[in-house]
Each structure stands twice: as structure tokens, then as C-alpha cells.
Amino acid sequence: MKISVSFTLWLLLCAVSAEENTDYLQTQEVAAQLKTEVDKLKTEVDNLNQQLKVRQVAFSASLLAGGKSIIGPFSKDTTLIYKHVPTNIGNAYNPTTGVFTAPVRGVYHFEWHLTAEGDGSHASGGWLVKNLQNLFVAWEYQAAGFMSSSNGVMLLLEVGDVVFVRLAANTLAFDNGSHPTTFSGFLLFPM
């Protein structure tokens, strides 16, 4: 009888232990599933925050931070470096190089304005360049007086594409405290 009572108690303890182990394992499984879901949600929130941040891309810049100067003429096309940057949301424009780098795939709008004093021998002209390819030009020539030209364009850019303005060979640009020579751009919408 003692053997059967002990054996019965042992079986009961095993059953309780197995049930506790099953409950523990089920609890661990549920906890792991919840952790996986929480991790997925954190990743999704991080991605949404990044997308929101990346959608905030806009800059405006002019050639000179102060004073006045005539730039050019140069014997070859030369990248203009716009140093006065009152707006650079998203920091996609680099005032050290004059280059805008697309942080996200999307459609962007760019404008560039060039000014100069007509001297009878030089125009004022600048190319909008995408990844080293001249795309569009703003151009003006007159023998005397203040001249200005401008252009605007929308471009589909991939992440890392670069856009900048090149002063055309043998042309001039002028800037002063009124900031008439500018380069601006912003993200219209991501794609």
C-alpha cells in the first residue's frame, strides 16, 4: 500500500509539475510573441519617424554671406558654391561644396537665379546639373545694365543623386547683400 500511495503521490506531483511546466512554457511563448510584436511596432514607428523627417527637405542659398563680388569668367564650367544659407531643413544642401544630395527618392523642385552687370563681352549663365550632367540653363546677355536670368525644374531623384549649379564657361555672376544670385530646392513628395 505504501508503494502505491507513494507512486500515486509521485504521479500527482509529476502531473502538477508537467502542468506548471506547460503553463510556464505557454507563458514564455506568449511573452516571446508579445516581444516580437513590440519590436515590429518599434521598427514601424522608427520607420515612420524617419519618413516624416526625410519629407522635411528644403533649402535656399545665395552666393555670398556678405559683401559683394563678381564671380567669373572662368575658362570652363565651374560649380557655384552658395555660402549664405538661411534655410537648410534636412541638411541636404552642403554649403562647403555647393551640392544638394537627395536623402530620399522623390520629386524635387529646384530654382536658380543668376545676376550680373552687362559688360558687353560676357553673359550670365548657369547650368542646373544632376549627377554631372548639364540639364537646364538660365542664361542672359546684354551689353550694359543689370541682367538676371532664372529657371526652375522638377526632377525625380534617387537617394544619393546630386544637384548643383555650374556657372557656364566665360560667363559672370554677381552677388551682394541683397542676395540676387540664389539656388533653392525642396522635396515635393517622396516616391
Side-chain angles (χ1 to χ4, degrees), residues 140-158:
E140 174 67 26
Y141 173 80
Q142 63 187 46
F146 194 74
M147 59 182 161
S148 68
S149 60
S150 60
N151 207 340
V153 65
M154 288 176 277
L155 298 174
L156 173 61
L157 300 179
E158 301 295 332

Side-chain angles (χ1 to χ4, degrees), residues 38-39 41-43 47 49 53 77 106 113 115 117 121 160-161 179:
V38 166
D39 289 345
L41 289 171
K42 283 181 181 177
T43 300
N47 287 340
N49 282 334
K53 186 177 179 183
D77 292 356
H113 306 272
T115 62
E117 188 71 34
S121 62
D161 280 350
H179 307 293

Side-chain angles (χ1 to χ4, degrees), residues 3 10 31 73 76 117 144 157 188:
I3 292 176
W10 181 78
K76 62 181 184 172
E117 188 71 34
L157 300 179
L188 286 170

Side-chain angles (χ1 to χ4, degrees), residues 28-74:
Q28 290 297 91
E29 187 176 309
V30 168
Q33 289 173 349
L34 287 173
K35 182 180 180 329
T36 300
E37 287 300 313
V38 166
D39 289 345
K40 284 180 186 176
L41 289 171
K42 283 181 181 177
T43 300
E44 190 174 332
V45 166
D46 288 345
N47 287 340
L48 290 171
N49 282 334
Q50 183 62 26
Q51 286 176 9
L52 178 62
K53 186 177 179 183
V54 165
R55 289 178 190 209
Q56 299 172 352
V57 178
F59 76 96
S60 281
S62 69
L63 280 178
L64 301 177
K68 67 179 182 175
S69 183
I70 297 171
I71 292 90
F74 301 109

Side-chain angles (χ1 to χ4, degrees), residues 18-36:
E19 189 174 311
E20 286 176 352
N21 280 342
T22 301
D23 287 347
Y24 176 77
L25 291 174
Q26 287 175 344
T27 302
Q28 290 297 91
E29 187 176 309
V30 168
Q33 289 173 349
L34 287 173
K35 182 180 180 329
T36 300

